[in-house]
Amino acid sequence: MKFQHLTILAAVFILGPVLLTSPGCKPKNIGSAVEGDAAGKTYVAPGKYDEFYNIVSGGFNGQISVYGIPSGRMLRIIPVFSQFAENGWGYSEETKPMLNTSHGFVPWDDSHHIALSTTKGEHDGRWAFVNGNNTPRIARISLSTFRTEEIIEIPNSSGNHSSPFLTENSEYAIAGTRFSYPMDNDGANPDVSINSYKENFKGTVSFIGINPESGRMNVAFQLILPGVNFDLSRAGKGKSRDWFFFSCYNTEQANTLLEVNASQKDKDFIMAVNWKKCEELVKAGKGQKQKVRYAHNVYDDKVHSATSTIETEVIVLDPKQFIDQGLVYFMPCPKSPHGCDTDPTGSYIVGSGKLAAVIPVFSFDKIQKAIADKNYEGMYDGLPVLKYDAVLHGEVKRPGLGPLHTEFDGKGFAYTSFFVSSEIVKWNIETLEVVDRVPTYYSIGHLSIPGGPTAKPHGKYVIAYNKITKDRYLPTGPELTQSAQMYDISGDKMKLLLDFPTVGEPHYAEAIPASLVSPKSVKMFKIEENQHPYAAKGEKEAKVVREGKKVHVYMTSIRSHFAPDNIEGVKMGDEVYFHVTNLEQDWDVPHGFAVKGSNNAEILIMPGETCTLKWVPDRVGVIPVYCTDFCSALHQEMQGYVRVSPAGSNVPLKWSTGETPEAGLPSK
């Protein structure tokens, strides 16, 4: 009977979005959900700016997209883990190293969660961080250039879904492994039976250190933990700043048919970790060094190039060896929890069990008392489990179906997304009473309030990221666009203002006031500060150099020509490297560069920057090159030619700009 009940419950959860969005179940008069002056509240007049940047994960496209709020206008796609032909990310010689891993060149990933850097728990406008779920990675993006500056691979991890979550002052980005598995460190033997899950599979949580000045990351240490699945996390704030909290599911430690076998227990866990004590033990030399292999990739704006380094060591800490230090505790949480969110004061931790009919809210003060009193209900794999009633602030009763994620408005209210019942529910953090609910169209996953995960939410809006759109937009074949919906939360009642389509499958986003970001925006790179080894800082430095089978073209671009724009002496079998320097020193005047038939993408070069396109000719002939970015009225005239001769020919290497064949450049 229990198995049958769980099967039905799982079926309701899985089929819920289908049932809710089938033609017979669509809400009536969904257009009437938009009331009053909604258009006026989202209208941003020509020449005016949005109030917020909304930094949105791209899901399976491995990128980040940036939207203006309240307009919903898409401003930019930032390539991170995936090659991006629009600007040559992952195609140019300078950016290829950013996609290196211990598995080799991996030009794709699955990005879920955004974290914006904080100081004293408040957004500071410096960096954005995002996870790579598939090949475990974390990336750091500069909010002054809106470019990916660093990507670090995470060893001893598999399925980096639960990251990156920042401590109060961005000391660490914290990442848990979704898939517990046999560790891949060099001293282990991962060739074990899948059915030996309980004996051989372990989970890890990684602490990625962040330099407070440069933002540079390093794998500071890792915790070795029981073989459960880690989902979402938030660090504490204020009184709880030295702790962080992780949702855990599959405490059954199942390895097959998890929809049933990982839903057997009435409660799984929220894990509480005293990261400050962990840090102290590591600094005291109590951790163990393990041999591993992982890539660390860094892009440098001074040389406009990236480097990739393979690291070979990590420090691990086993909390069970320091049980008297009180590093890790589990708290029961119903049921298959997904969200784990801390309120702006750091006093309360909200769990969201996907299969639960309540929302449990835990009290940090009660957690500390239960730890001091050793008020345990038992041990789980050698680590203490605190009593549920001893740590509970209370439960939000009958809030909805399928709670996933909660954020806060800074006015004492929480907002939780409900996947199955397709709604956002607003409730009072202290009294735990539901005060409002609105439908979403349809099957909301995460939601985002500007500043919602910080100590100082900016409020005003909540944005729903929905999994299914159905009738919301014009049809585009079997797959419809992803959907975001924005609601006004400035009053007592939530009001739908806007639908806008999104790129990829957005999972989570953070919104930040434009006033914290736009004044620091980089407009161009100073040509005199360009330290790229192949930069040509003026047309007089343009040249072509042969080094054996490699031909290096030191090329400049300016409205509206390349220098050189005629090149001869390239031969079959050569590798040609076009190092293009954009001489412009004016904001928003990039130049593109492409070669006909190149087995590559274009490159897009910002003012003052140097980028390199590698080209291997595949035939004899005269090949056009041209600018791909419309830069002036004479953009069409911005082109050139490269003559490719047979291997072994005696055509000398020559180049020119503004010279005719009669002036000395041979025509044959």
Side-chain angles (χ1 to χ4, degrees):
M1 181 64 69
K2 182 179 179 182
F3 184 89
Q4 184 182 30
H5 168 73
L6 288 168
T7 303
I8 294 171
L9 188 59
V12 169
F13 179 66
I14 294 165
L15 297 177
V18 177
L19 296 172
L20 286 167
T21 57
S22 63
C25 299
K26 287 191 296 186
K28 296 179 180 179
N29 301 319
I30 57 178
S32 65
V34 181
E35 300 176 355
D37 61 344
K41 289 183 177 180
T42 64
Y43 178 68
V44 178
K48 300 294 183 180
Y49 294 157
D50 280 285
E51 184 178 359
F52 296 98
Y53 289 100
N54 195 28
I55 315 297
V56 186
S57 70
F60 41 65
N61 72 11
Q63 301 164 344
I64 287 175
S65 51
V66 182
Y67 296 82
I69 297 296
S71 72
R73 299 180 295 198
M74 190 176 76
L75 306 175
R76 173 145 316 277
I77 292 176
I78 305 172
V80 183
F81 301 112
S82 297
Q83 288 179 300
F84 192 53
E86 181 177 309
N87 64 10
W89 177 262
Y91 291 97
S92 72
E93 296 305 294
E94 288 80 6
T95 59
K96 283 179 182 177
M98 293 297 286
L99 303 182
N100 189 40
T101 74
S102 63
H103 302 275
F105 183 75
V106 179
W108 170 84
D109 217 309
D110 182 16
S111 59
H112 283 223
H113 302 122
I114 301 293
L116 302 185
S117 58
T118 53
T119 301
K120 296 182 179 179
E122 299 179 20
H123 283 154
D124 57 30
R126 294 184 294 168
W127 306 298
F129 298 83
V130 66
N131 68 319
N133 182 30
N134 183 266
T135 304
R137 291 176 275 185
I138 289 178
R140 177 175 56 83
I141 294 89
S142 166
L143 291 182
S144 62
T145 61
F146 284 77
R147 287 180 165 188
T148 303
E149 288 190 331
E150 188 174 13
I151 297 176
I152 192 166
E153 190 179 2
I154 305 176
N156 287 332
S157 181
S158 184
N160 179 40
H161 173 263
S162 50
S163 86
F165 305 104
L166 302 181
T167 49
E168 188 178 60
N169 290 295
S170 301
E171 298 95 339
Y172 296 99
I174 298 167
T177 182
R178 173 183 174 184
F179 309 111
S180 289
Y181 76 120
M183 295 293 96
D184 55 7
N185 59 287
D186 287 354
N189 178 13
D191 183 20
V192 298
S193 168
I194 297 173
N195 288 330
S196 69
Y197 188 110
K198 293 184 179 181
E199 293 76 33
N200 292 313
F201 287 48
K202 296 294 180 183
T204 60
V205 167
S206 301
F207 290 75
I208 310 302
I210 302 169
N211 184 288
E213 300 301 325
S214 66
R216 188 69 62 88
M217 299 186 292
N218 71 292
V219 181
F221 61 95
Q222 297 180 310
L223 296 184
I224 303 298
L225 294 162
V228 298
N229 294 45
F230 295 104
D231 207 334
L232 299 181
S233 174
R234 290 290 186 203
K237 311 177 186 77
K239 65 172 70 176
S240 59
R241 66 170 59 92
D242 293 346
W243 292 75
F244 75 86
F245 307 92
F246 251 109
S247 61
C248 313
Y249 65 102
N250 192 24
T251 55
E252 297 87 350
Q253 296 187 317
N255 60 275
T256 183
L257 201 63
L258 264 63
E259 64 174 338
V260 173
N261 293 324
S263 302
Q264 297 288 315
K265 295 182 179 180
D266 289 335
K267 292 183 175 69
D268 288 286
F269 293 134
I270 297 293
M271 181 177 70
V273 176
N274 189 325
W275 67 263
K276 202 71 173 177
K277 283 190 177 181
C278 295
E279 180 187 65
E280 290 170 0
L281 287 172
V282 170
K283 288 182 177 178
K286 301 298 184 181
Q288 296 181 335
K289 294 182 178 179
Q290 281 188 358
K291 295 294 183 182
V292 292
R293 294 185 75 253
Y294 62 98
H296 187 187
N297 311 325
V298 179
Y299 188 89
D300 186 342
D301 275 330
K302 292 182 180 179
V303 294
H304 303 291
S305 301
T307 56
S308 179
T309 304
I310 295 295
E311 308 286 355
T312 58
E313 192 174 76
V314 70
I315 295 173
V316 300
L317 197 66
D318 186 346
K320 289 189 289 188
Q321 296 178 2
F322 304 95
I323 199 71
D324 59 323
Q325 297 289 324
L327 304 183
V328 176
Y329 298 89
F330 291 112
M331 302 184 297
C333 180
K335 176 168 197 217
S336 298
H338 181 66
C340 177
D341 300 282
T342 58
D343 84 307
T345 70
S347 298
Y348 300 111
I349 300 95
V350 180
S352 297
K354 299 189 297 290
L355 302 180
V358 298
I359 299 175
V361 182
F362 302 96
S363 163
F364 181 74
D365 291 339
K366 289 185 175 182
I367 293 168
Q368 295 307 295
K369 187 177 188 305
I371 290 171
D373 295 343
K374 295 188 177 180
N375 197 352
Y376 306 155
E377 69 173 38
M379 305 290 282
Y380 181 83
D381 199 3
L383 294 172
V385 180
L386 303 174
K387 286 186 178 178
Y388 182 66
D389 291 339
V391 296
L392 190 68
H393 168 57
E395 296 176 339
V396 183
K397 302 294 186 182
R398 301 178 64 84
L401 297 176
L404 290 184
H405 172 225
T406 299
E407 289 205 350
F408 309 89
D409 63 6
K411 301 175 184 178
F413 295 100
Y415 299 73
T416 300
S417 58
F418 287 82
F419 178 79
V420 175
S421 53
S422 290
E423 60 184 334
I424 299 173
V425 174
K426 177 182 178 181
W427 50 275
N428 186 293
I429 301 170
E430 287 291 341
T431 67
L432 306 178
E433 294 176 337
V434 172
V435 297
D436 192 24
R437 62 178 73 233
V438 292
T440 60
Y441 309 106
Y442 309 91
S443 299
I444 179 177
H446 284 276
L447 50 73
S448 174
I449 293 174
T454 74
K456 187 180 179 181
H458 312 294
K460 297 191 75 170
Y461 308 105
V462 62
I463 304 160
Y465 295 95
N466 302 327
K467 300 302 182 185
I468 298 173
T469 58
K470 294 296 183 184
D471 51 26
R472 303 306 288 177
Y473 306 107
L474 286 171
T476 52
E479 185 184 16
L480 303 178
T481 182
Q482 304 293 323
S483 172
Q485 292 185 299
M486 186 174 68
Y487 298 78
D488 181 353
I489 60 171
S490 60
D492 292 336
K493 298 294 184 180
M494 294 177 279
K495 296 180 179 179
L496 178 61
L497 298 178
L498 181 69
D499 281 21
F500 59 95
T502 55
V503 176
E505 188 202 355
H507 288 262
Y508 180 57
E510 284 197 34
I512 184 172
S515 60
L516 291 176
V517 176
S518 59
K520 297 180 285 187
S521 185
V522 171
K523 294 179 170 60
M524 69 196 74
F525 299 102
K526 294 180 180 179
I527 192 72
E528 64 271 18
E529 296 178 359
N530 185 332
Q531 299 177 24
H532 192 289
Y534 292 98
K537 298 181 183 181
E539 288 194 14
K540 291 183 179 180
E541 298 180 18
K543 58 184 176 181
V544 183
V545 176
R546 175 178 287 281
E547 296 176 357
K549 292 289 187 180
K550 295 182 178 180
V551 176
H552 293 278
V553 180
Y554 294 69
M555 179 178 281
T556 64
S557 62
I558 196 166
R559 287 167 286 186
S560 294
H561 66 273
F562 296 109
D565 63 4
N566 278 215
I567 301 170
E568 298 200 8
V570 173
K571 303 173 185 178
M572 290 295 293
D574 285 343
E575 294 179 351
V576 183
Y577 295 85
F578 292 97
H579 310 287
V580 185
T581 301
N582 183 347
L583 298 181
E584 307 284 354
Q585 291 291 267
D586 192 6
W587 189 17
D588 194 29
V589 187
H591 288 296
F593 180 81
V595 182
K596 176 192 172 184
S598 174
N599 186 17
N600 209 328
E602 65 156 1
I603 52 175
L604 198 63
I605 314 104
M606 297 300 114
E609 184 180 37
T610 302
C611 293
T612 302
L613 179 71
K614 179 183 176 181
W615 174 54
V616 179
D618 67 347
R619 64 195 64 185
V620 171
V622 175
I623 309 298
V625 300
Y626 67 101
C627 177
T628 55
D629 190 273
F630 204 101
C631 55
S632 74
L634 297 177
H635 164 71
Q636 288 291 102
E637 284 75 10
M638 194 169 177
Q639 65 173 61
Y641 293 101
V642 180
R643 177 185 174 187
V644 180
S645 300
S649 65
N650 59 0
V651 176
L653 190 64
K654 293 187 178 183
W655 65 93
S656 69
T657 306
E659 296 182 10
T660 65
E662 292 74 21
L665 187 64
S667 59
K668 292 185 180 180

